[in-house]
Amino acid sequence: MKLVIAVIQDQDSNRLSNALMKQNFRATKLASTGGFLRSGNTTFLIGVDDQDVSKVLDIIRDNCRAREQMVTPVSPLGGNADTYIPYPVEVEVGGATVFVLPIEEYHHF
């Protein structure tokens, strides 16, 4: 058994959730925040058999794409203003950060 932990952008959450359900994979969704933009993310916890890991990774890859987005950086309150950029910049957002961990037991009651 493996535990797949996928941290994705909120925009991709419903699409990924629906794709996983269509393929009969169960997932627990957790709201999370982090990264450079301190924006909303969703973390999926997915318990799968070893032989299904590549299938789950394919589903994540197909439904969580990186894209360019214009953002205005947050002002550095009390921080170093030397590196602050006061105008919008284009950054890459989205995609997925995925961890695959071995688990000893998995129970569903």
Side-chain angles (χ1 to χ4, degrees), residues 36-48:
F36 169 69
L37 302 175
R38 294 183 183 93
S39 60
N41 296 323
T42 301
T43 300
F44 282 79
L45 304 177
I46 311 159
V48 297

Side-chain angles (χ1 to χ4, degrees), residues 44-62:
F44 282 79
L45 304 177
I46 311 159
V48 297
D49 291 321
D50 290 346
Q51 68 268 15
D52 291 329
V53 170
S54 62
K55 190 172 188 177
V56 168
L57 293 176
D58 287 342
I59 293 169
I60 294 169
R61 187 177 299 110
D62 291 343

Side-chain angles (χ1 to χ4, degrees), residues 10-29:
D10 281 343
Q11 279 182 266
D12 298 325
S13 178
N14 286 335
R15 186 173 44 253
L16 178 59
S17 183
N18 291 335
L20 288 168
M21 285 191 301
K22 282 182 183 177
Q23 297 295 318
N24 296 316
F25 290 109
R26 294 173 178 232
T28 299
K29 290 171 48 172

Side-chain angles (χ1 to χ4, degrees), residues 36-39 69-76 84-91 93:
F36 169 69
L37 302 175
R38 294 183 183 93
S39 60
Q69 178 177 320
M70 294 298 287
V71 298
T72 303
V74 178
S75 173
Y84 176 64
I85 303 169
Y87 50 87
V89 294
E90 189 173 51
V91 297
V93 297

